[in-house]
Amino acid sequence: MREKIRVTLLANAGILLEGTGARLLIDGLYDPAGTEFQAVPEPVKARLLAGEPPVDLLAFTHLHPDHFSRRETDTYLARNRVRGVLLPEDGGPLAGPVRRMTGVRGTWELLPGVRITWVSSGHIGPQYAETAHFCLLAELSGVGVLVTGDADPERGEPTWQELGWARPDAVLVNPLFYQSPRGRALLREVLRPEWVVLYHIPGADRDPWGLRRMVRRQLERSRDEPYHLSALWGPLDRMTVTGRGE
């Protein structure tokens, strides 16, 4: 029987992965105040802080405020017990078992059948050249989902060679990654997933960059790609990723 992972968007780039025996929350505890990005709706946030559902691992691709908030993370950890927290090394002190991401690549096998591989990558935009940023490959019971955050496909060549061995079942990318010819080439030729999922999309009420319109065009023009392209548009949009099996 082929295993499955459920992928749920909380809002913005916050992703909840649910597989057999484990739940991982990536970039889901953040504070978008002062930005154009979606906030987690208050009822969803209240349930999350109450431990509904319980989460085994918190992980963060980088420390920008629309992906990580120390205050929100501290609040969550004060109310809930997790098996671990994975974040870049300059993330400051946090309660609970913390693993700091350093170097080009590393792996954390947190639970039986649960493995997170991080690979260092550049952040989109030359103004963020010094930002520590990591792509996270989450493997639950043999199903692999690569969460790329704000990774820049034009930079960080070692990133994609380091990840190419894994051939994840699904890759989550933001629209700017997918708009890059280099980004689409990496998906086709190196990562080769069955599913590509567009996420980190602004809400319809706050989209000064026109990214929602860009995503609609991307979905229309992707019919000849060797993968299924879909989008997680807003809070609690979800999909199921099925592993390739034997």
Side-chain angles (χ1 to χ4, degrees), residues 125-170:
Q127 68 271 38
Y128 301 121
E130 301 305 317
T131 298
H133 185 286
F134 297 87
C135 295
L136 303 177
L137 174 61
E139 296 174 277
L140 284 71
S141 302
V143 185
V145 176
L146 175 62
V147 179
T148 62
D150 290 338
D152 188 345
E154 306 293 339
R155 299 169 54 206
E157 183 64 29
T159 298
W160 316 114
Q161 299 308 319
E162 289 285 347
L163 286 168
W165 62 270
R167 197 180 177 192
D169 296 291

Side-chain angles (χ1 to χ4, degrees), residues 1-37:
M1 180 176 178
R2 299 171 70 187
E3 295 287 346
K4 298 178 179 180
I5 290 179
R6 186 164 70 171
V7 180
T8 302
L9 177 72
L10 296 187
N12 192 46
I15 292 293
L16 178 66
L17 301 178
E18 300 176 270
T20 303
R23 292 186 180 93
L24 282 59
L25 180 61
I26 299 176
D27 288 350
L29 295 168
Y30 64 96
D31 183 3
T35 77
E36 300 295 339
F37 295 106

Side-chain angles (χ1 to χ4, degrees), residues 1 3-4 21 25 76 89 95 119 151 188 196 221 225 228:
M1 180 176 178
E3 295 287 346
K4 298 178 179 180
L25 180 61
Y76 185 89
E89 63 179 336
V119 178
R188 284 193 305 267
V196 174
R221 297 172 181 174
E225 296 291 355
H228 305 288

